[in-house]
Amino acid sequence: MAGATYKTPKLDELEKGPWPSFVKEIKMAARRSPMANDLLGQLEKSYTEKIGYWKHGGIVGVMGYGGGVIGRYSQLPEEFPGVSHFHTIRVNQPAGWFYTSKALRGICDMWEKRGSGLTNMHGSTGDIVLLGTVTDQLEPIFAELTATGFDLGGSGSDVRTPSCCCGKARCEWACYDTMAVCYDFTMSFQDELHRPAFPYKYKFKFAGCPNDCVASVARSDMSFIGTWRDDIKVNAEEVKKYVDGGLDIINNVVLNCPGKCMKWDGKKLEIDNDSCRHCMHCINVMPKALAPGDDRGACILIGSKAPIVEGALLSSVLIPFIKMEPPYTEIKEIIERIWDLWCEEGKARERVGEFIQRVGMGNFLEAIEVEPLAEMVAHPRENPYVFYEDYFEEGDEDEDEEEEEG
């Protein structure tokens, strides 16, 4: 095909301006792909008539898997036959998004042969997203992917593809090996990843330090954010070099500390580590002078999500600190208890964060056998009335009654 055959004045507007445009990419693919060409035509019609002409195809996938393929069909197959089927495939990305050029070329060659040639590198979860193929090509695509070491990712009400930052591979602030944990969880929860059985999706994200370069605190059901529990390491000579080099340490560091835990007397930087919030700001500003402590692990948080039903949620602390050491048995046992409770009591399409909001964090913690801690409290209670539950050992109740009678 020489090029796109549809006039697209509305889509052309999206190519203007300084930002990259998906329209430009579709037009490039349309030079060789009838599917991408008809995609342009249907999108232009949707923009003109203000109607989305896509319909989800229900259950469509590969043998043995319930996830990984998102079925999509055109409502106008006669007018745009190239996109009568336009299924999306999610491919499990390597931890930290490290590829060889050979692997990427292999995926692209396969996709130009068996699909539209359009990709999304990467989806919000992290997957390689392959946009647009027909039902008959799903099994051949799966066979070629697995032959080269790739697998499908998650979709639907299952564990979504775990993702992580590059961790210790490239980052000196990483407090645990994010890539190792991400791979371990991906392999451990294969059944939950490929065969949807949950009320809704469940996302794992692994961030090596509080900078949280995978934005786990805002968009994963369970976040693992690296942290430390000893003192920040301070190199006094390097601090002095920053100040001598023109850094306004008072305004740019000390006064920006959310814990108000830093003091600078003109010669020495003092840190009250008990008040440190581990926000990483001071370390980011003076990376040669400050560093995370040596007693490193992760803080586990739960319950964030993007706004769909109940609105956006940020994660709540579940485990303030835990050492991230294989085989991660304690963590996996907690996860299994959460899933058992959520699957039993959760509503359809209710994320675990919404479930916790509905039943209450106290009831949730009691059900999964996790002790409540001060770090779990988002802010002091607004209700001045405090109620306590009485717990009696066997026989205690009778003794109390005898005391009242006496």
Side-chain angles (χ1 to χ4, degrees):
M1 181 176 292
T5 58
Y6 295 99
K7 293 182 179 180
T8 57
K10 292 191 179 298
L11 289 178
D12 294 346
E13 289 294 316
L14 298 177
E15 292 187 88
K16 298 176 181 179
W19 305 106
S21 170
F22 73 94
V23 175
K24 179 181 178 181
E25 302 301 322
I26 297 175
K27 286 181 178 179
M28 289 172 61
R31 297 169 189 166
R32 291 182 288 183
S33 168
M35 183 176 282
N37 183 54
D38 275 0
L39 175 62
L40 283 172
Q42 180 165 309
L43 280 175
E44 181 68 22
K45 189 178 183 71
S46 291
Y47 276 56
T48 301
E49 300 185 0
K50 300 181 181 179
I51 298 173
Y53 287 108
W54 297 112
K55 59 182 179 180
H56 288 282
I59 298 174
V60 60
V62 300
M63 188 69 69
Y65 281 19
V69 179
I70 302 164
R72 188 167 287 116
Y73 298 92
S74 171
Q75 293 180 351
L76 305 170
E78 296 82 10
E79 188 173 352
F80 305 105
V83 291
S84 58
H85 298 193
F86 199 76
H87 307 318
T88 291
I89 295 177
R90 288 184 179 155
V91 182
N92 196 324
Q93 80 282 357
W97 298 283
F98 284 98
Y99 300 95
T100 63
S101 57
K102 180 181 178 181
L104 287 173
R105 289 181 186 279
I107 289 175
C108 291
D109 289 344
M110 179 276 296
W111 194 237
E112 286 196 341
K113 175 183 175 184
R114 301 194 179 277
S116 69
L118 296 169
T119 68
N120 179 357
M121 306 288 284
H122 297 82
S124 61
T125 297
D127 305 88
I128 306 166
V129 178
L130 306 178
L131 295 160
T133 191
V134 298
T135 304
D136 291 345
Q137 289 291 347
L138 294 177
E139 289 293 346
I141 288 167
F142 181 58
E144 288 196 33
L145 286 171
T146 53
T148 55
F150 284 96
D151 194 6
L152 298 190
S155 69
S157 298
D158 61 8
V159 169
R160 295 299 179 85
T161 312
S163 67
C164 63
C165 68
C166 62
K168 293 188 175 183
R170 295 189 64 188
C171 179
E172 60 188 315
W173 305 140
C175 295
Y176 69 97
D177 191 339
T178 57
M179 293 172 62
V181 183
C182 185
Y183 178 77
D184 184 285
F185 275 52
T186 301
M187 301 306 292
S188 297
F189 297 123
Q190 282 287 290
D191 194 59
E192 291 82 1
L193 200 157
H194 292 306
R195 298 171 183 89
F198 293 162
Y200 204 18
K201 66 185 81 169
Y202 196 94
K203 296 182 179 182
F204 292 113
K205 290 191 186 297
F206 304 90
C209 76
N211 281 325
D212 194 11
C213 292
V214 286
S216 66
V217 73
R219 58 197 189 106
S220 66
D221 297 275
M222 185 165 271
S223 317
F224 296 79
I225 300 180
T227 188
W228 64 96
R229 57 181 174 183
D230 54 347
D231 293 350
I232 293 177
K233 293 190 286 188
V234 181
N235 185 323
E237 291 184 4
E238 291 294 338
V239 173
K240 189 174 184 303
K241 287 181 181 179
Y242 276 109
V243 176
D244 293 344
L247 174 67
D248 185 348
I249 194 170
I250 296 296
N251 288 309
N252 291 342
V253 180
V254 175
L255 295 181
N256 280 334
C257 175
K260 307 302 179 188
C261 69
M262 310 186 84
K263 290 182 180 180
W264 172 254
D265 62 5
K267 295 182 180 179
K268 183 179 179 182
L269 181 67
E270 294 183 9
I271 301 176
D272 176 12
N273 282 277
D274 289 339
S275 300
C276 176
R277 305 278 180 86
H278 294 199
C279 73
M280 292 291 290
H281 173 72
C282 61
I283 296 173
N284 292 335
V285 175
M286 301 188 293
K288 294 182 179 180
L290 304 176
D294 293 320
D295 187 8
R296 301 181 178 187
C299 175
I300 303 177
L301 301 97
I302 191 165
S304 69
K305 59 178 277 299
I308 297 177
V309 180
E310 294 292 336
L313 291 174
L314 293 180
S315 296
S316 301
V317 173
L318 183 67
I319 306 293
F321 184 88
I322 191 167
K323 301 294 279 188
M324 297 296 287
E325 298 170 346
Y328 317 106
T329 303
E330 182 181 354
I331 298 171
K332 291 174 183 175
E333 287 175 353
I334 293 173
I335 291 169
E336 295 285 356
R337 293 199 294 271
I338 291 171
W339 287 346
D340 288 345
L341 174 65
W342 180 46
C343 288
E344 183 70 24
E345 304 292 344
K347 298 179 181 179
R349 296 181 68 82
E350 181 178 51
R351 295 286 285 272
V352 73
E354 295 168 325
F355 172 70
I356 293 170
Q357 276 193 324
R358 179 166 62 86
V359 303
M361 179 62 89
N363 293 327
F364 175 76
L365 293 173
E366 185 176 358
I368 64 170
E369 302 172 18
V370 172
E371 289 295 320
L373 297 168
E375 289 88 346
M376 300 174 181
V377 179
H379 57 82
R381 63 181 295 140
E382 297 164 351
N383 187 331
Y385 297 98
V386 180
F387 300 94
Y388 296 93
E389 295 182 13
D390 292 325
Y391 295 92
F392 295 98
E393 297 290 339
E394 188 175 349
D396 286 355
E397 193 169 351
D398 294 335
E399 292 176 7
D400 288 347
E401 289 177 358
E402 291 173 5
E403 288 177 4
E404 289 175 6
E405 292 173 1

